[in-house]
Amino acid sequence: MRNGFEVNAVITVYKRYFELFFIPLIPLGKSYSVYIPHSDEYFEQGAFSKMPENLLEICKQVGRNY
């Protein structure tokens, strides 16, 4: 819910691995990005933008499923 409206969002989960010869061996963690087309907002975790806490919790729930 954003500004009183239910909106769709595109959530991307990036999984980072330690690789040896392009073969993923050890998982290092996950990072997330969210794009909300209704308000044209884009947030990334650990990048130049700061992701709000409520969106980060939603991304973590999505990351547990995938």
Side-chain angles (χ1 to χ4, degrees), residues 3-65:
N3 296 330
F5 296 103
E6 281 195 26
V7 295
N8 293 328
V10 178
I11 298 174
T12 308
V13 179
Y14 299 102
K15 296 181 181 179
R16 291 174 291 177
Y17 291 94
F18 176 75
E19 297 178 355
L20 182 63
F21 300 110
F22 302 105
I23 300 171
L25 297 176
I26 302 170
L28 297 176
K30 296 178 184 177
S31 61
Y32 309 100
S33 69
V34 176
Y35 174 64
I36 304 170
H38 177 75
S39 57
D40 200 32
E41 293 177 303
Y42 181 76
F43 300 102
E44 279 190 52
Q45 180 191 24
F48 297 106
S49 65
K50 175 119 174 101
M51 186 179 295
E53 290 297 320
N54 60 344
L55 293 177
L56 185 59
E57 287 300 317
I58 293 170
C59 290
K60 287 182 180 180
Q61 290 176 359
V62 170
R64 287 185 201 113
N65 295 333

